[in-house]
């Protein structure tokens, strides 16, 4: 009787081992195949910036590296453009394409897609009138989006953006603080009881990119920017509260992310744009050239907000403007 127990145990172990092998084999046989790789797609955009009477910059972001392909045509099909640009990880998967030779005061329909397999995404904008054309213009402007934990509502995102889009402006000017890189967006917000949670305050380039991705994923903002021409400047919360570029270690990372997420030419951010005969817009950069805030806090003189070169440019341009 006592000698039979070890044999019984050995038999039980063999039976358990066989059962485990069978279960493992069944698990391998019934494991679902790996999910197929999703086709490449445009995740953000198109955005139409730096619009003039004969040109525009078109921006978009993709889901992975590839070639951004673009087609643009007028509703009558009389003007047709095709262009492409590389989408690279080093640019946060963003790309922009300059379209020139366009007709003034003309609506263009634009399609962007990532590679030949990507699903097309549509947008539209209107070029500025010819410089001598006296025509009405509707300009919308705004800023300060997603600060103090008043962020993307879980149900309706940022409702104000739909109101702006329905007003059908000719041009939208983003005045800065279009992210709050120094803030939190929590699940319960200061305004909306339920919010889309956002990234933590940015401490590096990846953090700034995450904040741009969060705000620009709001459907209302995507619809506004893909349906009208826009211009953009930055303010402090693109880096953090009250920053001055000259004395902030994070400023270079914030500036890089800002440029990656907007259709902007290289070089300075202060510039001017005409809309027909009667409107000239001056966009100023109040962060890059300003003195450190401590000089203003102590009321030290002289201190500058614009820097000498930008100030001289503005005075000269205002004096020469018709």
């Amino acid at each position: 009787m006592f000698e039979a127990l070890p044999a019984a145990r050995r038999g039980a172990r063999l039976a358990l081992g066989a059962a485990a092998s069978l279960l493992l084999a069944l698990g391998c046989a019934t494991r679902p195949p790996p999910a197929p790789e999703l086709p490449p797609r445009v995740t953000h955009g198109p955005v139409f910036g730096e619009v003039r009477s004969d040109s525009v910059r078109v921006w978009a972001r993709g889901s992975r590296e590839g070639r951004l392909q673009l087609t643009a045509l007028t509703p009558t099909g009389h003007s047709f453009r095709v262009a492409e640009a590389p989408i690279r990880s080093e640019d946060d998967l963003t790309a922009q394409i300059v379209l020139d030779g366009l007709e003034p005061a003309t609506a263009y329909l634009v399609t962007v897609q990532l590679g030949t397999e990507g699903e097309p995404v549509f947008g539209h904008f209107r070029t500025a009138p010819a410089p001598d054309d006296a025509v009405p213009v509707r300009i919308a402007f705004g800023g300060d989006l997603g600060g103090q934990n008043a962020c993307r509502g879980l149900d309706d995102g940022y409702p104000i953006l739909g109101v702006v889009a329905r007003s059908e402006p000719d041009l939208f000017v983003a005045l800065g603080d279009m992210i709050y890189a120094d803030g939190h967006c929590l699940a319960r917000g200061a305004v909306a009881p339920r919010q889309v949670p956002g990234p933590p305050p940015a401490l590096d380039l990846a953090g700034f990119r995450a904040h741009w991705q969060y705000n620009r994923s709001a459907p209302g903002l995507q619809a506004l920017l893909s349906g009208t021409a826009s211009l953009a400047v930055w303010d402090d919360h693109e880096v953090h509260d009250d920053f001055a570029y000259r004395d902030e270690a994070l400023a270079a990372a914030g500036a890089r992310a800002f440029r990656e997420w907007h259709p902007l030419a290289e070089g300075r951010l202060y510039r001017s744009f005409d809309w027909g005969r009667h409107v000239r817009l001056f966009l100023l950069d109040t962060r890059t050239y300003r003195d450190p805030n401590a000089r203003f806090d102590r009321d030290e003189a002289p201190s500058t907000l614009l820097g000498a070169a930008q100030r001289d440019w503005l005075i000269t341009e205002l004096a020469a403007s018709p």
Side-chain angles (χ1 to χ4, degrees):
M1 176 178 178
F2 293 101
E3 294 178 355
L5 285 174
R9 288 172 181 163
R10 286 195 300 272
R13 285 198 297 268
L14 290 172
L16 287 172
S21 298
L22 178 61
L23 287 173
L24 180 61
L26 288 173
C28 292
T30 59
R31 182 181 299 165
E37 186 178 10
L38 296 175
R41 64 188 181 92
V42 170
T43 61
H44 300 79
V47 177
F48 309 105
E50 309 301 280
V51 63
R52 300 187 185 274
S53 61
D54 60 354
S55 65
V56 71
R57 282 182 177 266
V58 184
W59 175 98
R61 184 177 187 269
S63 61
R64 62 178 192 239
E65 289 192 334
R67 303 289 297 181
L68 178 67
Q69 298 186 340
L70 177 150
T71 60
L73 68 159
T74 64
T76 59
H78 290 163
S79 181
F80 184 80
R81 296 287 186 276
V82 179
E84 65 175 36
I87 287 184
R88 304 177 298 184
S89 296
E90 63 193 72
D91 301 319
D92 200 20
L93 301 177
T94 67
Q96 53 183 294
I97 295 172
V98 177
L99 295 179
D100 52 20
L102 305 181
E103 297 296 324
T106 300
Y108 283 87
L109 305 176
V110 175
T111 301
V112 291
Q113 63 187 89
L114 183 52
T116 57
E117 301 176 359
E119 182 178 353
V121 178
F122 300 92
H124 58 91
F125 75 99
R126 179 178 293 274
T127 50
D132 293 333
D133 285 351
V135 295
V137 58
R138 181 186 294 255
I139 299 175
F141 57 90
D144 297 271
L145 195 65
Q148 286 81 54
N149 195 33
C151 306
R152 290 170 50 198
L154 195 62
D155 300 321
D156 53 5
Y158 295 112
I160 186 62
L161 298 173
V163 178
V164 176
R166 288 192 293 274
S167 72
E168 298 184 347
D170 298 294
L171 185 65
F172 173 71
V173 182
L175 297 177
D177 292 346
M178 293 298 285
I179 60 168
Y180 272 67
D182 54 347
H184 287 277
C185 287
L186 306 177
R188 182 172 183 82
V191 176
R194 298 190 305 160
Q195 289 186 157
V196 179
L203 301 176
D204 53 21
L205 178 59
F208 289 111
R209 288 169 168 174
H211 276 270
W212 283 111
Q213 183 172 351
Y214 173 82
N215 258 7
R216 290 279 282 273
S217 295
L221 185 55
Q222 292 234 45
L224 174 62
L225 297 180
S226 67
T228 188
S230 62
L231 299 171
V233 295
W234 69 342
D235 200 12
D236 55 339
H237 291 286
E238 277 83 359
V239 177
H240 72 75
D241 188 38
D242 286 341
F243 94 95
Y245 191 96
R246 295 185 183 187
D247 67 342
E248 290 294 340
L250 284 178
R256 175 171 174 175
F258 177 80
R259 287 186 173 277
E260 287 175 341
W261 278 81
H262 292 85
L264 291 168
E266 293 293 331
R268 68 192 194 194
L269 289 177
Y270 63 89
R271 58 218 193 272
S272 65
F273 290 86
D274 288 353
W275 196 275
R277 182 177 176 180
H278 294 307
V279 174
R280 176 164 293 172
L281 298 173
F282 297 92
L283 280 71
L284 302 182
D285 179 356
T286 62
R287 291 292 156 187
T288 302
Y289 312 101
R290 66 189 290 141
D291 281 331
N293 287 322
R295 292 182 62 88
F296 294 98
D297 294 339
R298 295 191 297 263
D299 198 23
E300 293 186 14
S303 53
T304 179
L305 186 71
L306 302 179
Q310 182 176 195
R311 177 181 178 275
D312 291 346
W313 166 84
L314 179 61
I315 292 173
T316 300
E317 292 295 313
L318 287 171
S321 172

